Amino acid sequence: MKQILIQTNILKNNDDIARKNRQRLNDQKIFTINLLGSPGSGKTSILEQIIKHIKPKVNMGVIEGDLYTTKDAQRIEKHNVNVIQVNTGGICHLDASMVQHALQYLDIDYLDFLVIENVGNLVCPAAYDLGGDMKITVMSVTEGNDKPLKYPFMFQISSVIILNKVDIIDFTDFDIEEFYKDIKSLNEEIQIYEVSCKTGQGIEELSKYFESKINCKKGE
Ligand code: MG
């Protein structure tokens, strides 16, 4: 009996395209991040804050992944940033071929920094490499500190965690010590930035981190 392992084939095909995307972005020396996190964690809000800080110094592009709407892309467009909307039509993650397609519509000769905002989800997007430099997960304190252990793969593959909405932490049951302990148990190397888009806390530090990565890539 012939057994077809569809999941394996799909992921292998995805990884092949991701490799091509990565090569193309590396050739152009574009620092590229895959921005992940639950719906409502604040991915777009953080992106808007980062744009305000670094756009004057950096040529930036954004690929916005969303199930059906252009709401996030419209927010980004208001900051005069090149943005391409990818609607997955109900699929819960972006894949490498969607990014490959979107890259055709960005002026990549001109870019230094590309942010790919994935569909809001802590499970499926983790399995699909898109071809960037790093994966960054946004998590807000309102989601609860149990999420790293409940969705370990997302936190294991991320290089940075942005803990958002820290201005309202005292109004939640979020146990920050346990959060750090759990995250470090999954991924010792991970960096954590505590931010608030409302008060601006941590945004400058995070922007500086991105600037250093962008400059490092340009100098490669
Ligand atoms: Mg968003």
Side-chain angles (χ1 to χ4, degrees), residues 128-141:
Y128 288 81
D129 185 17
L130 303 180
D133 290 292
M134 62 166 66
K135 297 170 185 76
I136 295 182
T137 296
V138 178
M139 203 193 121
S140 67
V141 296

Side-chain angles (χ1 to χ4, degrees), residues 79-113:
H79 300 277
N80 291 318
V81 168
N82 259 322
V83 56
I84 305 296
Q85 178 70 58
V86 177
N87 284 129
T88 64
I91 296 171
C92 58
H93 58 84
L94 290 177
D95 67 29
S97 69
M98 295 175 194
V99 171
Q100 186 182 45
H101 193 68
L103 286 176
Q104 294 173 22
Y105 299 96
L106 282 172
D107 186 1
I108 65 166
D109 294 341
Y110 171 78
L111 294 185
D112 306 314
F113 185 31

Side-chain angles (χ1 to χ4, degrees), residues 45 49 164-168 195-201 203:
S45 298
Q49 296 293 325
N164 190 24
K165 307 184 191 178
V166 290
D167 55 306
I168 56 168
V195 310
S196 163
C197 293
K198 286 276 178 261
T199 65
Q201 182 188 331
I203 296 293

Side-chain angles (χ1 to χ4, degrees), residues 52-215:
K52 282 184 205 160
H53 269 76
I54 71 171
K55 189 179 161 258
K57 301 173 234 174
V58 170
N59 294 318
M60 205 176 155
V62 174
I63 296 173
E64 272 294 342
D66 195 41
L67 297 175
Y68 304 107
T69 77
T70 58
K71 284 179 185 295
D72 288 353
Q74 285 168 8
R75 282 168 63 183
I76 300 302
E77 207 162 38
K78 283 188 187 150
H79 300 277
N80 291 318
V81 168
N82 259 322
V83 56
I84 305 296
Q85 178 70 58
V86 177
N87 284 129
T88 64
I91 296 171
C92 58
H93 58 84
L94 290 177
D95 67 29
S97 69
M98 295 175 194
V99 171
Q100 186 182 45
H101 193 68
L103 286 176
Q104 294 173 22
Y105 299 96
L106 282 172
D107 186 1
I108 65 166
D109 294 341
Y110 171 78
L111 294 185
D112 306 314
F113 185 31
L114 175 63
V115 178
I116 305 168
E117 183 184 333
N118 218 310
V119 178
N121 187 321
L122 278 179
V123 184
C124 316
Y128 288 81
D129 185 17
L130 303 180
D133 290 292
M134 62 166 66
K135 297 170 185 76
I136 295 182
T137 296
V138 178
M139 203 193 121
S140 67
V141 296
T142 51
E143 291 171 63
N145 60 275
D146 57 350
K147 294 302 170 292
L149 292 189
K150 287 182 85 170
Y151 303 94
F153 190 44
M154 187 62 91
F155 294 88
Q156 280 163 337
I157 60 161
S158 294
S159 306
V160 174
I161 299 297
I162 303 172
L163 183 63
N164 190 24
K165 307 184 191 178
V166 290
D167 55 306
I168 56 168
I169 196 165
D170 292 342
F171 299 99
T172 70
D173 294 328
F174 195 91
D175 184 333
I176 200 151
E177 275 178 32
E178 203 169 285
F179 171 75
Y180 272 84
K181 187 168 72 71
D182 291 347
I183 291 248
K184 294 285 178 184
S185 75
L186 294 169
N187 183 344
E188 242 180 73
E189 306 287 306
I190 209 159
Q191 282 184 266
I192 302 172
Y193 286 87
E194 295 179 21
V195 310
S196 163
C197 293
K198 286 276 178 261
T199 65
Q201 182 188 331
I203 296 293
E204 197 173 336
E205 200 188 346
L206 185 61
S207 303
K208 283 193 173 138
Y209 171 76
F210 286 133
E211 272 178 60
S212 76
K213 290 285 177 189
I214 294 160
N215 289 332

